[in-house]
Every structure is written in structure tokens, then in C-alpha cells.
Amino acid sequence: MTHPLASRFPSRAALALCLGLLAVGLETAFAADATLPPKSEINPAAGTGATFHPPPESEIPKNEFGKMIKLGRDIMLDTPQYAGKYVGNTLSCVNCHTDAGRMAGSAPLWAAYVNYPAYRSKNKKVNTFEERIQGCFRFSQNGKAPPLGSKTLVALQSYSYWLAKGLPTDEKVAGRGYPDLAAPALPPNYARGKAVYEARCAVCHTASGAGRYVDGKTVFPPLWGDKSFNWGAGMGSYKNAAKFIYANMPYGQSYSLTPQQAWDVAYFMDAHERPQDPRWKGSVAATRAAFHDSKFSLYGETINGKVLGDIGPPKNH
């Protein structure tokens, strides 16, 4: 499987360099831990029990519906280009839903689609699938929600519907979300996480966490700072981030980190400032009490002498 953004950029030199560097040490990592899956199965789906395979792109209908499916796929792959007016950072959907939303164990769209409408504790109401996608734009994309029935939401829903062809509804399909991750043996730690980040992550995401760009296009996304997801995003929970990282990162090296390393580096990533939660209640304390009352959220916590989230009201919302 190629990198989900590779075909979208005219220059691949930076991408090739990063992937080459990531491959260094892979043999050692697998030789050292016999519990890891075989190298032939190094992808997020390993160990999820997933048996469903979405249809290949060659089967997209050659009609008006097919055009909408393709638009949904394109939005997944390059959200700033195809849905830019709703995006407030440089991330694309594919950064959290790899292989254009097809990969089991990487929050695949087909597994999510068949489980909506559903109640969400995040906004305390039953959400349609379109409303769930609206949340992604508002939080993960740090943007604004496309209107219900808009071309953007219709395209993403059409693509998800098509990927889920043949799946029954209202079932917890194997491969949904990110694989479960055992609790860490030690409490997640900033210093250990920093060491993991510098050794395994910075080559792609840079030491500053700002991501890498080629010709103005995002090759590897920013993990914190103004161009990343905001405090309301799912990745703002370092538990969610740890599950994603363990199964999906470094890219192409699924499960090469230990669970402890995944927890530690997720903690380190989330211990950095990012855009304000758009549900801002006027103060960090009030916003944490309303939306971040969890041991897995660092919003409002003091890290390195700074209260995270203490950056004032949200911008551009």
C-alpha cells in the first residue's frame, strides 16, 4: 500500500526520504519482540479480526453517483483542496483514517457508516452520520461544520456508503475505530515520550511538531501548534492518540512501538499547545469542567510551567 497522500503531490523526494529513514531499524524492532505480528501483516488491521474488504476503486460506478463517490474520496485525501472553506488547519481526513478511509484498525469509514445514527456522549444527542462528519470538521480540522445536505457532506457520506457495501447495519464490525490498547505499565511520561518522538517521529513530523510540506502541500501533518487539530478533537485525548499511534505509527511500521512507548509519545504530543476548543466557556477552568473532565485530557493541566489551553477564546470560529 502506498502512502495515502503520495499520489497527490508532484514532488515525492521528501516523502521518499522520510519513508526510507523510517525503514531503518525495522528489522531490529521485530527481531527484538516475538509478540509482534509477522512483517507481512504490518498494518493497522493486524489483530483486529477484520474480514471485511471494501470494494476496489475500479468498481466505482461510472455515473453521477460515482462522481459523488470520487469527490468524497478526494476530500478524504486532500481536504484543504477539496473542502477548503470548511478547514482551518493543514490536516486531511486521511491523516487519521489511513488508506483513504479503507484501512481496518484505522477508524475506517465503512465500519463507522453502519453504526449511525447513534447517541454520542460528546454532544449528548443522537447524531446522524452527516452530523458526525460535521464534528470532524469542527474539531479535527479546526474549521467549521459544512451545512447538512451540502455537497461536501453528501460526497463524504456517499463515499462511506459505497465503501460499506454489503455490511449489515447496527453491528460492531471488526476493525472499527482503533485497536484496543492495554493500560500502560507506568503512568505516561513527558520525558520518555519526548525520547520516543525524537527517535521515531521527528523525522516525518519535524522536531517542532510542525509537519512537513512540499510545494505548499502537507506531506506529514502537524501534531501541535496553530496548524494542527484543536483541543476539542478526539486526538486531544491521549488515550485515543495512543491507540491510533500504536496501530498506525510510524507510518508503515504498525505495532513497532511498545504499548508503553505509544502511551508516552501520545502524552508528549498532547502536552503541547494547539488551537482553542471551539466550545470555549470563557475560561480554561470552565471549559475543562464542561468538556475535558478526564484523566486522559491535558487541557487545563500545567506542563513545563504553562497551563495548556490558556490561549484565550478560539479564533476564526
Side-chain angles (χ1 to χ4, degrees):
M1 181 180 70
T2 59
H3 188 281
L5 296 180
S7 63
R8 299 291 162 181
F9 301 101
S11 173
R12 302 187 187 181
L15 178 60
L17 173 62
C18 287
L19 292 180
L21 289 171
L22 281 171
V24 175
L26 183 60
E27 293 285 346
T28 302
F30 275 80
D33 190 343
T35 66
L36 292 168
K39 286 185 293 180
S40 61
E41 298 177 5
I42 306 173
N43 63 56
T48 66
T51 58
F52 177 77
H53 298 283
E57 290 193 1
S58 60
E59 292 184 8
I60 293 178
K62 294 177 172 55
N63 52 27
E64 291 302 311
F65 181 49
K67 290 179 183 178
M68 193 62 74
I69 293 170
K70 288 181 179 179
L71 176 59
R73 177 204 59 193
D74 290 343
I75 293 170
M76 284 290 302
L77 291 169
D78 195 340
T79 317
Q81 177 177 339
Y82 291 96
K85 63 183 178 179
Y86 304 118
V87 174
N89 56 26
T90 61
L91 276 66
S92 288
C93 306
V94 73
N95 297 138
C96 294
H97 310 271
T98 66
D99 196 21
R102 303 173 65 90
M103 177 62 72
S106 190
L109 297 185
W110 43 265
Y113 179 81
V114 297
N115 279 277
Y116 280 89
Y119 178 82
R120 293 193 76 211
S121 58
K122 185 166 186 170
N123 58 10
K124 296 180 174 55
K125 70 171 190 174
V126 173
N127 288 214
T128 65
F129 189 68
E130 275 192 300
E131 288 173 319
R132 177 64 183 86
I133 298 172
Q134 282 183 319
C136 290
F137 277 94
R138 190 179 181 206
F139 300 113
S140 296
Q141 301 286 167
N142 191 38
K144 59 183 180 180
L148 295 175
S150 63
K151 190 173 184 178
T152 295
L153 291 185
V154 171
L156 287 168
Q157 182 164 256
S158 297
Y159 179 56
S160 303
Y161 165 84
W162 177 77
L163 287 177
K165 184 178 180 180
L167 275 178
T169 60
D170 195 30
E171 287 194 12
K172 301 297 183 185
V173 182
R176 183 186 181 191
Y178 306 124
D180 289 334
L181 181 63
L186 300 171
N189 176 276
Y190 184 97
R192 288 197 306 268
K194 181 180 180 182
V196 175
Y197 184 84
E198 290 174 346
R200 305 295 299 276
C201 313
V203 65
C204 290
H205 298 285
T206 75
S208 68
R212 292 192 186 275
Y213 305 86
V214 173
D215 298 332
K217 297 281 191 175
T218 306
V219 178
F220 292 100
L223 302 182
W224 59 82
D226 291 342
K227 296 181 179 180
S228 190
F229 55 88
N230 67 42
W231 279 110
M235 288 296 171
S237 160
Y238 66 80
K239 179 180 181 180
N240 289 344
K243 291 167 65 176
F244 169 78
I245 290 167
Y246 181 60
N248 290 270
M249 295 290 131
Y251 192 82
Q253 297 185 37
S254 296
Y255 307 105
S256 63
L257 298 179
T258 67
Q260 184 69 58
Q261 287 176 319
W263 279 102
D264 288 340
V265 78
Y267 184 97
F268 174 76
M269 178 182 79
D270 279 0
H272 288 81
E273 199 57 86
R274 58 191 66 261
Q276 184 60 267
D277 191 324
R279 302 167 297 181
W280 169 253
K281 290 290 188 180
S283 72
V284 173
T287 306
R288 178 173 175 87
F291 306 115
H292 299 275
D293 186 18
S294 165
K295 67 178 182 180
F296 301 115
S297 175
L298 296 179
Y299 183 90
E301 298 290 338
T302 301
I303 304 290
N304 295 330
K306 185 181 185 309
V307 178
L308 293 174
D310 191 14
I311 54 175
K315 300 178 177 129
N316 304 319
H317 282 277

